[in-house]
Amino acid sequence: MTTQTTKPEANGTGDLAASARDIASDVADKASAAAARLPDAANATGVQLGRANDLIRSESDEVLAVGTSLSLGLAVGLLLGGANRLLVILALIPATAMGFTLFDRHSGATNRFPR
């Protein structure tokens, strides 16, 4: 009965280190590319938020009331259903925007945030 002992090859660790370096390099490249596109994304987001605000302000009170109720109902349903809190908060964003618009209209407040 003979036993053979196997030695780990030295190439295995070198290949692993090279793979790790390649992956780290790829991640760094992708992160720098994403960081370079971040200002454009922020700009586009700001434009779309302004457009959404203009659309909300142009709607009638009835549409805003229904939209606020629908968004609040969705948020409460998600909360009671055990959804992630982030999803509940995201569902509250349109309700907040429409609710504040209704509140501003009925409280007689003018545009508090001039452009």
Side-chain angles (χ1 to χ4, degrees), residues 31-62:
S32 65
R37 292 178 17 185
L38 194 60
D40 292 335
N43 227 0
T45 302
V47 168
Q48 293 303 320
L49 285 174
R51 186 170 171 244
N53 188 30
D54 293 340
L55 287 172
I56 287 173
R57 291 190 181 278
S58 68
E59 290 295 337
S60 67
D61 289 350
E62 292 82 14

Side-chain angles (χ1 to χ4, degrees), residues 1-3 7 9 15 25 27 36 40 46-47 62 71 74 86-88 97 99-100 106-107 110 112 114:
M1 188 172 183
T2 60
T3 59
K7 295 183 197 176
E9 294 181 14
D15 290 342
S25 172
V27 168
D40 292 335
V47 168
E62 292 82 14
S71 295
L74 177 66
L86 181 62
L87 290 176
V88 175
F100 277 133
H106 292 290
S107 68
T110 57
R112 284 191 265 161

